[in-house]
Amino acid sequence: QYSKKLLTDAVMLPCCFQTCSYGPLQSALLSQNFVCPLCETTQIGIDKLMPNKQLRAMVDDFIKDQRKKMEAREQSLAQSQSSVAAAATRVVTATATVPADVA
């Protein structure tokens, strides 16, 4: 069973060298009597799962990059809202100072 979620705590199976998220894989191994859910090899102990450090680093970098992009978008939106508010204030102020005989 595959998901389209981001891998968390990526580990590699010693039998088929496939990488999965640790939590779901641990659950699968426990519920299937330590049979690999991908290649059906038996006696796959949880202690035999190997951390996929390279993929973990890539996921961490991706998350950091996405956070930076989100923060930049939020900052840009806040600046845009501030500019619109300032422009609206100028319009209100300008309208309030127009002489009665011109309006």
Side-chain angles (χ1 to χ4, degrees):
Q1 178 179 354
Y2 295 97
S3 74
K4 294 182 179 182
K5 295 180 180 179
L6 194 61
L7 286 173
T8 54
D9 299 324
V11 290
M12 189 180 311
L13 286 151
C15 47
C16 57
F17 302 103
Q18 296 296 315
T19 297
C20 302
S21 292
Y22 176 77
L25 180 58
Q26 178 188 26
S27 296
L29 289 172
L30 290 171
S31 69
Q32 296 176 20
N33 295 318
F34 301 99
V35 174
C36 176
L38 301 177
C39 71
E40 299 182 2
T41 298
T42 58
Q43 299 179 349
I44 302 300
I46 293 171
D47 61 327
K48 302 296 182 200
L49 301 176
M50 302 170 284
N52 188 330
K53 294 178 182 179
Q54 183 178 6
L55 189 53
R56 287 181 181 192
M58 291 172 64
V59 168
D60 287 344
D61 289 345
F62 174 78
I63 291 171
K64 287 176 189 173
D65 183 55
Q66 293 303 307
R67 281 188 183 142
K68 285 180 185 177
K69 287 179 182 178
M70 186 174 66
E71 288 169 2
R73 281 193 295 264
E74 288 173 354
Q75 186 176 14
S76 177
L77 179 60
Q79 288 173 345
S80 294
Q81 289 173 341
S82 178
S83 296
V84 168
T89 300
R90 285 192 300 274
V91 168
V92 169
T93 302
T95 305
T97 59
V98 173
D101 60 337
V102 176

